[in-house]
Protein backbone atom coordinates (compact mmCIF):
# COMPACT_ATOMS: atom_id res chain seq x y z
CA UNK A 1 0.00 0.00 0.00
CA UNK A 2 1.21 3.54 -0.71
CA UNK A 3 3.15 4.99 2.19
CA UNK A 4 4.52 1.64 3.52
CA UNK A 5 8.29 1.75 3.90
CA UNK A 6 10.75 -1.11 3.73
CA UNK A 7 13.75 -1.42 6.03
CA UNK A 8 15.99 -0.28 3.19
CA UNK A 9 14.03 2.75 2.03
CA UNK A 10 12.37 5.60 3.92
CA UNK A 11 9.03 6.77 2.50
CA UNK A 12 9.14 9.60 -0.02
CA UNK A 13 7.16 12.79 0.58
CA UNK A 14 4.55 11.49 -1.85
CA UNK A 15 4.32 8.15 -0.06
CA UNK A 16 4.04 9.89 3.29
CA UNK A 17 1.24 12.10 1.99
CA UNK A 18 -0.58 9.08 0.55
CA UNK A 19 -0.30 7.26 3.87
CA UNK A 20 -1.69 10.30 5.73
CA UNK A 21 -4.51 10.48 3.20
CA UNK A 22 -5.54 6.87 3.79
CA UNK A 23 -5.46 7.40 7.55
CA UNK A 24 -7.50 10.58 7.17
CA UNK A 25 -10.18 8.79 5.14
CA UNK A 26 -10.54 6.08 7.78
CA UNK A 27 -10.59 8.69 10.56
CA UNK A 28 -13.17 10.83 8.74
CA UNK A 29 -15.51 7.85 8.58
CA UNK A 30 -14.81 6.80 12.16
CA UNK A 31 -15.41 10.31 13.47
CA UNK A 32 -18.61 10.79 11.48
CA UNK A 33 -17.39 13.53 9.13
CA UNK A 34 -18.55 11.48 6.15
CA UNK A 35 -20.11 8.09 5.82
CA UNK A 36 -21.95 5.43 3.94
CA UNK A 37 -25.28 5.95 5.70
CA UNK A 38 -27.66 8.85 6.25
CA UNK A 39 -26.35 9.28 9.81
CA UNK A 40 -23.22 10.99 8.44
CA UNK A 41 -22.80 13.72 5.82
CA UNK A 42 -22.50 12.37 2.27
CA UNK A 43 -19.75 14.81 1.31
CA UNK A 44 -16.76 16.42 3.02
CA UNK A 45 -13.56 18.15 1.93
CA UNK A 46 -10.21 17.73 3.67
CA UNK A 47 -6.95 19.70 3.73
CA UNK A 48 -3.65 18.13 4.81
CA UNK A 49 -2.12 20.85 7.00
CA UNK A 50 1.18 18.97 7.36
CA UNK A 51 1.44 18.88 3.58
CA UNK A 52 0.61 22.58 3.25
CA UNK A 53 3.36 23.48 5.71
CA UNK A 54 5.79 21.25 3.82
CA UNK A 55 5.00 22.99 0.52
CA UNK A 56 5.48 26.42 2.09
CA UNK A 57 8.83 25.31 3.50
CA UNK A 58 9.90 23.88 0.14
CA UNK A 59 9.11 27.20 -1.57
CA UNK A 60 10.91 29.41 0.92
CA UNK A 61 13.96 27.16 1.16
CA UNK A 62 14.34 26.85 -2.64
CA UNK A 63 14.65 30.62 -3.01
CA UNK A 64 16.68 31.12 0.16
CA UNK A 65 19.28 28.63 -1.08
CA UNK A 66 19.65 30.50 -4.39
CA UNK A 67 19.85 34.09 -3.09
CA UNK A 68 22.50 35.95 -1.09
CA UNK A 69 21.63 36.20 2.61
CA UNK A 70 19.50 39.23 3.39
CA UNK A 71 17.88 39.53 -0.05
CA UNK A 72 14.31 40.74 0.52
CA UNK A 73 11.80 38.10 -0.59
CA UNK A 74 8.03 38.03 -0.14
CA UNK A 75 6.20 34.86 -1.06
CA UNK A 76 2.60 36.08 -1.44
CA UNK A 77 0.01 33.29 -1.69
CA UNK A 78 -2.55 33.83 -4.47
CA UNK A 79 -5.73 34.06 -2.38
CA UNK A 80 -7.96 33.09 -5.31
CA UNK A 81 -6.50 29.58 -5.15
CA UNK A 82 -7.98 28.91 -1.68
CA UNK A 83 -9.98 31.85 -0.28
CA UNK A 84 -10.40 30.45 3.23
CA UNK A 85 -9.31 32.56 6.19
CA UNK A 86 -7.89 29.60 8.20
CA UNK A 87 -5.79 28.59 5.18
CA UNK A 88 -4.42 32.12 4.82
CA UNK A 89 -3.65 32.19 8.54
CA UNK A 90 -1.86 28.83 8.31
CA UNK A 91 0.26 30.09 5.41
CA UNK A 92 0.99 33.34 7.23
CA UNK A 93 2.21 31.30 10.18
CA UNK A 94 4.49 29.51 7.70
CA UNK A 95 5.94 32.88 6.60
CA UNK A 96 3.85 33.70 3.52
CA UNK A 97 1.92 36.84 2.64
CA UNK A 98 -1.07 37.29 0.33
CA UNK A 99 -1.63 38.34 -3.27
CA UNK A 100 -5.17 39.70 -3.60
CA UNK A 101 -7.18 40.57 -6.69
CA UNK A 102 -10.45 41.93 -5.32
CA UNK A 103 -11.89 43.75 -2.29
CA UNK A 104 -13.19 40.41 -1.05
CA UNK A 105 -9.77 38.79 -1.19
CA UNK A 106 -8.23 41.76 0.58
CA UNK A 107 -10.86 41.46 3.32
CA UNK A 108 -10.00 37.76 3.71
CA UNK A 109 -6.28 38.50 3.97
CA UNK A 110 -6.89 41.15 6.60
CA UNK A 111 -9.19 38.82 8.53
CA UNK A 112 -6.36 36.29 8.55
CA UNK A 113 -4.06 38.88 10.10
CA UNK A 114 -1.87 39.40 7.04
CA UNK A 115 -0.46 42.92 7.26
CA UNK A 116 -0.17 45.53 4.49
CA UNK A 117 3.58 45.04 4.08
CA UNK A 118 2.95 41.39 3.23
CA UNK A 119 0.07 42.05 0.83
CA UNK A 120 0.14 42.68 -2.93
CA UNK A 121 -2.85 43.99 -4.90
CA UNK A 122 -3.26 42.74 -8.47
CA UNK A 123 -6.29 42.97 -10.77
CA UNK A 124 -6.90 44.26 -14.29
CA UNK A 125 -9.94 46.25 -13.17
CA UNK A 126 -9.16 48.02 -9.89
CA UNK A 127 -11.57 50.84 -9.05
CA UNK A 128 -10.40 54.24 -7.88
CA UNK A 129 -11.73 53.34 -4.44
CA UNK A 130 -9.68 50.14 -4.33
CA UNK A 131 -6.53 52.00 -5.33
CA UNK A 132 -7.16 54.73 -2.77
CA UNK A 133 -7.65 52.15 -0.01
CA UNK A 134 -4.48 50.28 -0.98
CA UNK A 135 -2.40 53.46 -0.90
CA UNK A 136 -3.89 54.47 2.43
CA UNK A 137 -3.01 51.08 3.91
CA UNK A 138 0.46 50.92 2.37
CA UNK A 139 -0.30 47.80 0.31
CA UNK A 140 1.87 47.09 -2.73
CA UNK A 141 0.08 47.78 -6.02
CA UNK A 142 0.82 46.45 -9.50
CA UNK A 143 -0.81 48.74 -12.06
CA UNK A 144 -2.20 46.85 -15.02
CA UNK A 145 -2.42 49.50 -17.74
CA UNK A 146 -1.88 53.13 -18.76
CA UNK A 147 -5.27 54.34 -17.59
CA UNK A 148 -4.76 52.81 -14.16
CA UNK A 149 -1.40 54.53 -13.96
CA UNK A 150 -3.14 57.83 -14.67
CA UNK A 151 -5.48 57.15 -11.73
CA UNK A 152 -2.46 56.52 -9.55
CA UNK A 153 -0.92 59.78 -10.80
CA UNK A 154 -3.97 61.65 -9.52
CA UNK A 155 -3.96 59.88 -6.16
CA UNK A 156 -0.24 60.45 -5.65
CA UNK A 157 -0.54 64.12 -6.65
CA UNK A 158 -3.40 64.62 -4.18
CA UNK A 159 -1.37 63.24 -1.28
CA UNK A 160 0.76 65.49 0.90
CA UNK A 161 3.44 62.80 1.19
CA UNK A 162 4.95 60.29 -1.21
CA UNK A 163 3.07 56.98 -1.32
CA UNK A 164 4.07 54.43 1.31
CA UNK A 165 2.88 51.66 -0.99
CA UNK A 166 5.43 50.05 -3.30
CA UNK A 167 4.00 50.61 -6.78
CA UNK A 168 4.89 48.91 -10.04
CA UNK A 169 3.54 48.13 -13.49
CA UNK A 170 2.58 44.71 -14.77
CA UNK A 171 4.03 43.87 -18.16
CA UNK A 172 2.89 41.23 -20.61
CA UNK A 173 6.10 39.83 -22.13
CA UNK A 174 4.06 38.37 -25.00
CA UNK A 175 6.18 35.23 -24.95
CA UNK A 176 3.38 32.85 -25.92
CA UNK A 177 0.79 30.41 -24.63
CA UNK A 178 0.93 27.08 -22.85
CA UNK A 179 -1.42 24.17 -23.44
CA UNK A 180 -4.42 25.78 -21.70
CA UNK A 181 -5.31 29.04 -23.45
CA UNK A 182 -7.53 30.30 -20.63
CA UNK A 183 -4.60 30.21 -18.20
CA UNK A 184 -1.96 31.64 -20.52
CA UNK A 185 -1.46 35.30 -19.65
CA UNK A 186 1.55 36.14 -21.82
CA UNK A 187 -0.05 35.80 -25.24
CA UNK A 188 0.04 38.50 -27.89
CA UNK A 189 -3.50 39.61 -26.99
CA UNK A 190 -3.72 38.81 -23.26
CA UNK A 191 -5.94 41.13 -21.22
CA UNK A 192 -3.23 41.48 -18.57
CA UNK A 193 -0.50 44.07 -18.32
CA UNK A 194 1.26 46.46 -20.69
CA UNK A 195 2.14 44.54 -23.89
CA UNK A 196 5.92 44.75 -24.01
CA UNK A 197 6.35 43.95 -27.71
CA UNK A 198 3.65 46.23 -29.08
CA UNK A 199 5.07 49.16 -31.09
CA UNK A 200 6.29 51.92 -28.79
CA UNK A 201 5.37 50.10 -25.57
CA UNK A 202 8.88 49.52 -24.28
CA UNK A 203 9.91 53.14 -24.78
CA UNK A 204 6.68 54.28 -23.09
CA UNK A 205 7.41 52.06 -20.09
CA UNK A 206 10.92 53.45 -19.64
CA UNK A 207 9.60 57.00 -19.87
CA UNK A 208 6.79 56.21 -17.42
CA UNK A 209 9.34 55.21 -14.80
CA UNK A 210 11.63 58.17 -15.42
CA UNK A 211 8.67 60.52 -14.97
CA UNK A 212 7.53 58.84 -11.73
CA UNK A 213 10.25 58.29 -9.12
CA UNK A 214 7.68 56.46 -6.96
CA UNK A 215 7.48 53.56 -9.44
CA UNK A 216 9.88 51.06 -7.89
CA UNK A 217 8.63 47.66 -8.98
CA UNK A 218 8.00 45.62 -12.11
CA UNK A 219 5.63 42.66 -12.33
CA UNK A 220 4.92 39.82 -14.72
CA UNK A 221 3.03 36.53 -14.64
CA UNK A 222 2.99 34.28 -17.69
CA UNK A 223 0.26 31.88 -16.62
CA UNK A 224 -0.04 28.72 -14.59
CA UNK A 225 -1.26 25.19 -15.36
CA UNK A 226 -0.14 24.15 -18.81
CA UNK A 227 2.62 26.75 -19.06
CA UNK A 228 6.04 25.02 -19.17
CA UNK A 229 8.92 26.21 -17.00
CA UNK A 230 11.05 27.48 -19.94
CA UNK A 231 8.19 29.76 -21.04
CA UNK A 232 7.70 31.08 -17.50
CA UNK A 233 11.44 31.67 -17.22
CA UNK A 234 11.51 33.53 -20.54
CA UNK A 235 8.92 35.98 -19.23
CA UNK A 236 10.94 36.59 -16.07
CA UNK A 237 14.07 37.12 -18.16
CA UNK A 238 12.24 39.82 -20.14
CA UNK A 239 11.16 41.43 -16.86
CA UNK A 240 14.70 41.52 -15.53
CA UNK A 241 16.06 42.96 -18.77
CA UNK A 242 13.46 45.75 -18.71
CA UNK A 243 14.33 46.59 -15.10
CA UNK A 244 17.99 46.86 -16.04
CA UNK A 245 17.10 49.14 -18.96
CA UNK A 246 14.98 51.41 -16.77
CA UNK A 247 17.65 51.65 -14.09
CA UNK A 248 20.34 52.41 -16.66
CA UNK A 249 18.20 55.20 -18.11
CA UNK A 250 17.50 56.57 -14.64
CA UNK A 251 21.15 56.45 -13.64
CA UNK A 252 20.17 54.79 -10.33
CA UNK A 253 18.46 51.67 -9.01
CA UNK A 254 14.94 53.03 -9.26
CA UNK A 255 13.37 49.59 -9.76
CA UNK A 256 14.40 47.70 -6.65
CA UNK A 257 11.93 44.79 -6.61
CA UNK A 258 10.74 42.31 -9.22
CA UNK A 259 7.39 40.59 -8.76
CA UNK A 260 7.84 37.43 -10.82
CA UNK A 261 4.36 36.00 -10.26
CA UNK A 262 3.82 32.28 -9.75
CA UNK A 263 2.40 29.66 -12.06
CA UNK A 264 4.32 26.50 -11.18
CA UNK A 265 2.28 23.70 -12.82
CA UNK A 266 0.92 20.82 -10.74
CA UNK A 267 1.12 17.12 -11.51
CA UNK A 268 -2.44 15.75 -11.38
CA UNK A 269 -1.46 12.28 -12.65
CA UNK A 270 0.10 10.87 -9.47
CA UNK A 271 1.03 11.70 -5.89
CA UNK A 272 4.45 12.98 -6.99
CA UNK A 273 5.09 16.69 -6.39
CA UNK A 274 6.54 17.63 -9.76
CA UNK A 275 7.90 19.95 -10.90
CA UNK A 276 9.52 21.00 -7.62
CA UNK A 277 10.31 24.56 -6.57
CA UNK A 278 14.00 23.74 -6.93
CA UNK A 279 13.37 22.99 -10.61
CA UNK A 280 11.54 26.30 -10.98
CA UNK A 281 14.47 28.19 -9.43
CA UNK A 282 16.93 26.30 -11.63
CA UNK A 283 14.96 27.28 -14.74
CA UNK A 284 15.00 30.93 -13.68
CA UNK A 285 18.73 30.85 -12.93
CA UNK A 286 19.41 29.38 -16.35
CA UNK A 287 17.35 32.06 -18.10
CA UNK A 288 18.32 35.08 -15.98
CA UNK A 289 21.33 34.35 -13.74
CA UNK A 290 21.55 37.94 -12.51
CA UNK A 291 18.08 37.64 -11.00
CA UNK A 292 19.69 35.85 -8.07
CA UNK A 293 22.67 38.15 -7.44
CA UNK A 294 20.84 40.09 -4.73
CA UNK A 295 20.41 43.27 -6.79
CA UNK A 296 16.64 43.04 -6.63
CA UNK A 297 14.16 42.08 -3.97
CA UNK A 298 11.75 39.42 -5.18
CA UNK A 299 8.01 38.77 -4.83
CA UNK A 300 6.35 35.51 -5.85
CA UNK A 301 2.64 34.76 -6.18
CA UNK A 302 2.17 30.99 -6.06
CA UNK A 303 -1.23 29.45 -5.43
CA UNK A 304 -2.08 26.09 -7.00
CA UNK A 305 1.36 24.59 -6.40
CA UNK A 306 1.12 25.29 -2.67
CA UNK A 307 -2.36 23.86 -2.05
CA UNK A 308 -3.55 21.54 -4.82
CA UNK A 309 -1.81 18.34 -3.72
CA UNK A 310 -3.09 18.72 -0.17
CA UNK A 311 -6.84 18.76 -0.80
CA UNK A 312 -9.18 15.78 -0.86
CA UNK A 313 -12.89 15.45 -1.67
CA UNK A 314 -14.69 12.52 -0.04
CA UNK A 315 -18.16 11.55 -1.24
CA UNK A 316 -20.53 8.72 -0.55
CA UNK A 317 -21.64 6.62 -3.50
CA UNK A 318 -25.40 7.06 -3.30
CA UNK A 319 -26.50 4.78 -6.12
CA UNK A 320 -24.99 2.64 -8.85
CA UNK A 321 -26.60 1.71 -12.13
CA UNK A 322 -25.81 0.37 -15.57
CA UNK A 323 -27.01 2.18 -18.68
CA UNK A 324 -26.16 0.94 -22.15
CA UNK A 325 -23.71 -1.53 -20.58
CA UNK A 326 -21.91 1.36 -18.85
CA UNK A 327 -21.63 1.17 -15.03
CA UNK A 328 -22.27 4.52 -13.36
CA UNK A 329 -21.64 5.53 -9.76
CA UNK A 330 -23.81 8.46 -8.65
CA UNK A 331 -22.06 10.54 -5.99
CA UNK A 332 -22.42 13.90 -4.26
CA UNK A 333 -19.22 15.34 -5.76
CA UNK A 334 -19.59 17.04 -9.10
CA UNK A 335 -19.61 20.35 -10.87
CA UNK A 336 -20.09 22.36 -7.68
CA UNK A 337 -16.62 21.26 -6.51
CA UNK A 338 -14.76 20.42 -9.70
CA UNK A 339 -16.14 22.97 -12.13
CA UNK A 340 -13.12 23.06 -14.41
CA UNK A 341 -12.94 19.27 -14.68
CA UNK A 342 -16.61 18.93 -15.56
CA UNK A 343 -16.57 21.63 -18.22
CA UNK A 344 -13.06 20.99 -19.58
CA UNK A 345 -12.17 17.38 -18.69
CA UNK A 346 -9.31 17.11 -21.17
CA UNK A 347 -7.50 20.05 -19.60
CA UNK A 348 -8.34 19.23 -15.99
CA UNK A 349 -8.39 15.43 -15.48
CA UNK A 350 -8.62 14.27 -11.88
CA UNK A 351 -7.73 10.98 -10.25
CA UNK A 352 -10.44 8.98 -8.47
CA UNK A 353 -9.64 6.69 -5.53
CA UNK A 354 -12.06 4.06 -4.25
CA UNK A 355 -12.68 3.27 -0.57
CA UNK A 356 -15.16 1.00 1.13
CA UNK A 357 -17.79 2.15 3.61
CA UNK A 358 -15.31 1.92 6.51
CA UNK A 359 -12.75 4.08 4.73
CA UNK A 360 -10.34 1.31 3.72
CA UNK A 361 -8.95 1.25 0.17
CA UNK A 362 -11.36 -0.81 -1.88
CA UNK A 363 -10.09 -3.99 -3.45
CA UNK A 364 -11.27 -5.94 -6.45
CA UNK A 365 -10.77 -6.27 -10.17
CA UNK A 366 -10.93 -2.92 -11.97
CA UNK A 367 -14.08 -2.15 -13.92
CA UNK A 368 -14.53 0.78 -16.31
CA UNK A 369 -17.20 3.01 -14.78
CA UNK A 370 -18.36 6.62 -14.85
CA UNK A 371 -18.16 8.73 -11.70
CA UNK A 372 -21.11 11.11 -11.81
CA UNK A 373 -22.02 14.12 -9.70
CA UNK A 374 -25.40 15.23 -8.33
CA UNK A 375 -26.15 18.13 -10.67
CA UNK A 376 -29.04 18.00 -13.10
CA UNK A 377 -27.21 17.99 -16.40
CA UNK A 378 -25.71 15.11 -18.34
CA UNK A 379 -22.17 16.42 -18.35
CA UNK A 380 -21.76 16.40 -14.57
CA UNK A 381 -19.07 13.70 -14.60
CA UNK A 382 -15.79 13.61 -12.69
CA UNK A 383 -14.50 10.72 -14.76
CA UNK A 384 -15.61 8.60 -17.69
CA UNK A 385 -14.88 4.88 -18.10
CA UNK A 386 -12.42 5.04 -15.20
CA UNK A 387 -10.91 1.70 -14.18
CA UNK A 388 -11.72 1.17 -10.48
CA UNK A 389 -12.85 -1.67 -8.23
CA UNK A 390 -16.58 -1.94 -8.83
CA UNK A 391 -18.33 0.61 -6.62
CA UNK A 392 -21.45 -0.09 -4.58
CA UNK A 393 -23.86 2.16 -2.67
CA UNK A 394 -22.28 3.21 0.60
CA UNK A 395 -18.70 3.11 -0.74
CA UNK A 396 -16.66 6.30 -0.87
CA UNK A 397 -14.86 7.96 -3.71
CA UNK A 398 -11.95 10.28 -2.98
CA UNK A 399 -10.74 12.97 -5.35
CA UNK A 400 -7.17 14.06 -4.55
CA UNK A 401 -5.27 17.15 -5.71
CA UNK A 402 -8.31 19.39 -5.14
CA UNK A 403 -6.91 21.81 -2.55
CA UNK A 404 -6.78 24.77 -4.95
CA UNK A 405 -9.47 26.12 -7.30
CA UNK A 406 -11.73 23.08 -6.73
CA UNK A 407 -13.80 22.83 -3.54
CA UNK A 408 -12.37 26.14 -2.33
CA UNK A 409 -14.10 27.90 -5.26
CA UNK A 410 -17.66 26.63 -4.96
CA UNK A 411 -20.00 26.84 -7.95
CA UNK A 412 -23.64 27.18 -6.92
CA UNK A 413 -25.26 25.02 -9.60
CA UNK A 414 -28.64 23.58 -8.43
CA UNK A 415 -28.17 25.53 -5.18
CA UNK A 416 -25.98 22.71 -3.92
CA UNK A 417 -24.56 23.73 -0.53
CA UNK A 418 -20.91 24.45 0.09
CA UNK A 419 -19.56 21.37 1.88
CA UNK A 420 -17.67 21.45 5.16
CA UNK A 421 -13.89 21.77 4.94
CA UNK A 422 -11.75 20.23 7.66
CA UNK A 423 -8.01 20.49 8.06
CA UNK A 424 -6.30 17.37 9.31
CA UNK A 425 -3.02 16.83 11.10
CA UNK A 426 -1.22 13.60 11.89
CA UNK A 427 -0.59 13.16 15.62
CA UNK A 428 2.65 11.70 17.05
CA UNK A 429 0.61 8.68 18.22
CA UNK A 430 -0.41 7.87 14.64
CA UNK A 431 -3.88 9.33 14.82
CA UNK A 432 -5.57 12.07 12.84
CA UNK A 433 -6.84 15.31 14.37
CA UNK A 434 -9.44 17.33 12.46
CA UNK A 435 -10.19 21.06 12.71
CA UNK A 436 -13.21 22.65 11.05
CA UNK A 437 -12.05 25.36 8.62
CA UNK A 438 -15.43 26.06 6.99
CA UNK A 439 -18.81 24.68 8.11
CA UNK A 440 -21.26 23.17 5.69
CA UNK A 441 -23.56 25.78 4.22
CA UNK A 442 -27.04 25.54 5.68
CA UNK A 443 -30.23 25.57 3.65
CA UNK A 444 -31.23 28.74 5.50
CA UNK A 445 -28.02 30.40 4.28
CA UNK A 446 -28.78 29.38 0.70
CA UNK A 447 -32.27 30.90 0.98
CA UNK A 448 -30.88 34.11 2.52
CA UNK A 449 -28.29 34.39 -0.25
CA UNK A 450 -31.10 34.05 -2.80
CA UNK A 451 -33.10 37.02 -1.49
CA UNK A 452 -35.19 35.00 0.93
CA UNK A 453 -35.80 38.02 3.16
CA UNK A 454 -37.63 39.84 0.35
CA UNK A 455 -39.86 37.33 -1.45
CA UNK A 456 -42.35 40.00 -2.60
CA UNK A 457 -39.72 42.42 -3.93
CA UNK A 458 -40.62 41.87 -7.58
CA UNK A 459 -44.41 41.68 -7.26
Amino acid sequence: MAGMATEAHAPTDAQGAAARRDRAVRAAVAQGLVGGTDTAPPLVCLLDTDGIRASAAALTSAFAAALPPGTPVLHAFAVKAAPLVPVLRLLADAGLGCEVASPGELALARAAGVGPLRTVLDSPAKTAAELSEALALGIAVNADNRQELERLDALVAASATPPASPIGIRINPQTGAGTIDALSTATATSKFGVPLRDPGARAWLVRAYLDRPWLTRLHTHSGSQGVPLPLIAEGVRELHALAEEINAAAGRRQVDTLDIGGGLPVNFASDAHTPAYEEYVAALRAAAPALFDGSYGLVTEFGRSLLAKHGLVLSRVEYTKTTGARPIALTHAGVQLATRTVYAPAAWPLRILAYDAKGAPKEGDPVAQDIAGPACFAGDLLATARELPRLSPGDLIAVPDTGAYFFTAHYGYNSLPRPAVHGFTATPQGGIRFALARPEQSLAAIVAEAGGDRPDALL
Side-chain angles (χ1 to χ4, degrees), residues 285-353:
R285 294 185 77 168
L291 184 70
F292 293 91
D293 66 7
S295 298
Y296 294 95
L298 295 179
V299 177
T300 71
E301 300 177 355
F302 292 100
R304 181 179 292 105
S305 60
L306 284 163
L307 263 291
K309 302 298 287 184
H310 311 303
L312 185 71
V313 172
L314 277 176
S315 173
R316 180 170 72 216
V317 176
E318 198 66 43
Y319 301 107
T320 56
K321 63 197 298 186
T322 300
T323 300
R326 172 170 292 185
I328 303 171
L330 296 163
T331 80
H332 297 270
V335 70
Q336 84 279 30
L337 307 179
T339 313
R340 291 177 173 180
T341 296
V342 168
Y343 286 125
W348 297 100
L350 285 171
R351 292 181 290 150
I352 307 293
L353 308 175

Side-chain angles (χ1 to χ4, degrees), residues 168-259:
I169 298 176
R170 176 172 182 167
I171 66 160
N172 170 11
Q174 296 176 298
T175 45
T179 59
I180 304 176
D181 287 343
L183 296 189
S184 299
T185 55
T187 62
T189 56
S190 170
K191 73 177 187 179
F192 292 101
V194 176
L196 187 60
R197 298 180 182 180
D198 277 14
R202 193 179 193 98
W204 177 86
L205 279 162
V206 174
R207 186 73 258 167
Y209 276 78
L210 298 183
D211 290 344
R212 299 168 178 84
W214 41 267
L215 282 176
T216 60
R217 290 188 173 188
L218 270 173
H219 170 47
T220 196
H221 177 71
S222 295
S224 51
Q225 196 67 18
V227 180
L229 292 188
L231 198 59
I232 295 174
E234 185 181 351
V236 174
R237 182 183 65 211
E238 293 287 338
L239 185 79
H240 180 268
L242 178 60
E244 292 285 276
E245 183 177 342
I246 290 169
N247 287 339
R252 62 187 181 90
R253 189 153 291 276
Q254 178 175 338
V255 176
D256 59 23
T257 301
L258 300 180
D259 184 335

Side-chain angles (χ1 to χ4, degrees), residues 23-47 312-316 357 396 419-425 432-440:
R23 286 158 57 196
V25 173
R26 288 193 296 270
V29 174
Q31 297 182 36
L33 302 186
V34 69
T37 68
D38 286 337
T39 60
L43 177 67
V44 73
C45 301
L46 305 179
L47 286 168
L312 185 71
V313 172
L314 277 176
S315 173
R316 180 170 72 216
L396 300 172
V421 177
H422 298 262
F424 70 88
T425 304
I432 295 291
R433 183 176 67 250
F434 292 103
L436 182 63
R438 183 186 73 189
E440 181 182 13

Side-chain angles (χ1 to χ4, degrees), residues 31 76 90 147 162 170 189 193 199 211 242 269 279 287 305 322 358 361 377 386 442 445 456:
Q31 297 182 36
L90 172 63
Q147 293 173 1
R170 176 172 182 167
T189 56
D211 290 344
L242 178 60
E279 295 173 73
S305 60
T322 300
K358 294 183 179 180
F377 72 99
R386 189 65 55 87
S442 68
D456 296 334

